[in-house]
């Protein structure tokens, strides 16, 4: 897509940029002080930078476990994107502040001496040429990599078990989490580790390009490394030592996600016409940036209903668990957010639709309308493929007496699926410390969020109003909002004061008066039945 400028704002009014270095593309959005989007642009890695031969922005190696992206592809994408923005006539001298996000967990290894190169970038050349020799690892491990199983076990053993590690860092050990990836590099390619003077996340790497010097890792994205103590917001000694020697020096000191890290380097002033005073606000992970883009507030829950269902939660009193992740909150330093991923989402809803309502969403919706809240006591678990939350597989149906049954009538099956999915989302959210409070809103997005009856069940199960919003681009937009907020955060202005002019999401469902009673009971019963499923030997 080529750049789009929608501006009607005054020609010299200030602008704020949000970048998103995601898996498949680099995106940018420019907003004005009234939060209107005035420009958007992107660079698709596979099609616009074919020389890197990526598929979906990555290389999947022959072991199927190792998944990497070329760091110079990301650098070249930034050259291309800035050229496009300039070419589209966007006056970059108007940009007061910029921020951005990156796919979480991916790591960039800067070669010894790279900080000197970053300080002296010559505006006649592009970044890709200038930084050719600045990385000790050409192919960066990304979030899709799952080749560090052994290092995860070692880290958990060193920390005193998965529960202790989750308590410290917000998550048990995950293969994609950066500490385990760094440990793997150190063990398998010690020279490359030794040659790295600095290790960045994708987010802080991108901020470093703009700063012309190493950018701090922010608390929120830093929480996706299995290295940060999410309560003290400092690196955990135990984790650092378990992963690799001399690691603290290579990571730098983590900083609040709202920090202004400095101004853009003179390279951007001379080559692209940025103002010398344009601030660079700490970049963060794409999920934290989405939370900002959705303007989630305390007690809110965002549900993305896609191939897999993802939940974002604003959490005040976190209880890290063996499932899900707790991160430091990107917009309010003392608070937290949680992320939960459920693998059996849309594909399972489609299967049940095909088998029970002849492939028709209308009949699926009618089934939800015609069956009562609580489904006459029928309840079901539909894990077509091995679920992440909880780790269970298979379809399990129970009648009102908790007897296993092999089928339910078509209407009851549809309701059992949708209620079961949402009760499970709520149960696991509450286990991570989430609680529904007065004023809680459920923000729904993704494919299934256009189905009103599905959203009615969501509203009933959470006993809260459901709103819909378009999440595509929320990481990018959230980054632009964060750029704007970063300028005033130090003087105590809250993120919500800054973004209050943004368009409101649309109310689509409110809970039925009996919902609280029905689902409070079902939650307890569901938890008990889930426990019994987890105890069973796997088929
Ligand atoms: C989150 C995760 C992914 C990436 C995608 O833990 O691994 O959502 O952030 O960009």
């Amino acid at each position: 897509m080529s750049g789009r400028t929608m501006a009607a704002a005054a020609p010299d009014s200030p602008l704020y940029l949000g970048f998103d270095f995601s898996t498949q593309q680099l995106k940018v959005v420019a907003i004005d002080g009234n939060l209107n989007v005035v420009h958007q642009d992107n660079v698709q890695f596979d099609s616009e930078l074919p020389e890197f031969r990526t598929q979906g922005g990555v290389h999947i190696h022959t072991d199927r476990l190792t998944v990497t992206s070329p760091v110079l592809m990301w650098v070249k994408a930034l050259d291309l994107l800035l050229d496009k923005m300039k070419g589209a006539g966007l006056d970059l001298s108007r940009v007061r502040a910029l921020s951005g996000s990156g796919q979480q967990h991916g790591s960039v290894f800067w070669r010894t001496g790279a900080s000197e190169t970053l300080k002296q970038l010559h505006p006649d050349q592009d970044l890709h040429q200038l930084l050719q020799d600045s990385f000790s690892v050409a192919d960066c491990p990304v979030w899709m990599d799952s080749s560090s199983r052994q290092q995860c076990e070692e880290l958990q053993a060193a920390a005193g078990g998965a529960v202790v590690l989750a308590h410290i860092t917000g998550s048990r050990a995950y293969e994609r989490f950066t500490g385990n990836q760094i440990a793997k590099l150190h063990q398998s390619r010690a020279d490359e580790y030794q040659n790295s003077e600095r290790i960045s996340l994708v987010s802080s790497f991108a901020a470093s390009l703009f700063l012309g010097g190493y950018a701090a890792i922010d608390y929120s994205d830093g929480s996706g490394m299995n290295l940060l103590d999410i309560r003290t917001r400092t690196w955990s000694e135990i984790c650092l030592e378990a992963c690799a020697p001399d690691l603290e020096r290579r990571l730098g000191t983590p900083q609040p996600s709202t920090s202004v890290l400095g101004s853009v380097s003179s390279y951007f002033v001379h080559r692209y016409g940025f103002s010398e005073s344009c601030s660079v606000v700490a970049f963060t992970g794409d999920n934290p940036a989405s939370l900002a883009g959705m303007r989630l507030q305390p007690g809110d829950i965002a549900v993305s209903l896609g191939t897999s269902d993802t939940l974002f939660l604003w959490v005040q009193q976190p209880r890290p668990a063996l499932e899900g992740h707790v991160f430091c909150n990107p917009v309010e330093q003392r608070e937290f957010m949680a992320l939960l991923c459920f693998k059996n989402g849309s594909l399972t809803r489609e299967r049940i639709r095909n088998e029970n309502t002849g492939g028709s969403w209308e009949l699926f919706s009618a089934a939800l309308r015609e069956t009562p809240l609580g489904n006459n006591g029928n309840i079901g678990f539909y894990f077509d493929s091995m679920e992440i939350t909880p780790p269970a597989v298979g379809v399990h149906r129970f009648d009102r007496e908790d007897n296993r049954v092999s089928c339910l009538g078509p209407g009851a099956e549809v309701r059992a699926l949708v209620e079961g999915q949402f009760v499970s989302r709520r149960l696991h959210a509450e286990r991570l410390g989430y609680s529904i409070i007065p004023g809680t809103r459920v923000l729904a997005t993704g494919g299934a969020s256009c189905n009103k009856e599905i959203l009615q069940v969501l509203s009933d199960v959470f006993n809260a109003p459901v709103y819909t919003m378009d999440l595509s681009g929320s990481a990018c937009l959230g980054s632009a909002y964060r750029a704007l907020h970063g300028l005033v955060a130090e003087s105590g202005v809250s993120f919500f004061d800054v973004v209050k002019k943004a368009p409101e999401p649309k109310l689509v469902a409110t809970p039925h008066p009996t919902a609280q009673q029905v689902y409070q009971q079902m939650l307890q019963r569901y938890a008990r039945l889930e426990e019994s499923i987890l105890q069973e030997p796997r088929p």
Side-chain angles (χ1 to χ4, degrees), residues 456-491:
Q456 182 60 52
V457 181
L458 182 62
S459 175
D460 291 339
V461 170
F462 281 86
N463 193 33
V466 171
Y467 299 78
T468 48
M469 68 189 315
D470 176 16
L471 235 188
S472 60
S474 65
C476 216
L477 192 59
S479 298
Y481 291 167
R482 291 190 339 91
L484 178 51
H485 178 230
L487 292 183
V488 292
E490 282 244 312
S491 41

Side-chain angles (χ1 to χ4, degrees), residues 294-315:
M294 292 183 285
R295 298 182 299 139
L296 224 63
Q297 292 173 18
D300 282 355
I301 182 162
V303 184
S304 164
L305 299 167
T307 309
S308 51
D309 289 352
T310 308
L311 249 63
F312 294 71
L313 313 153
W314 182 296
V315 178

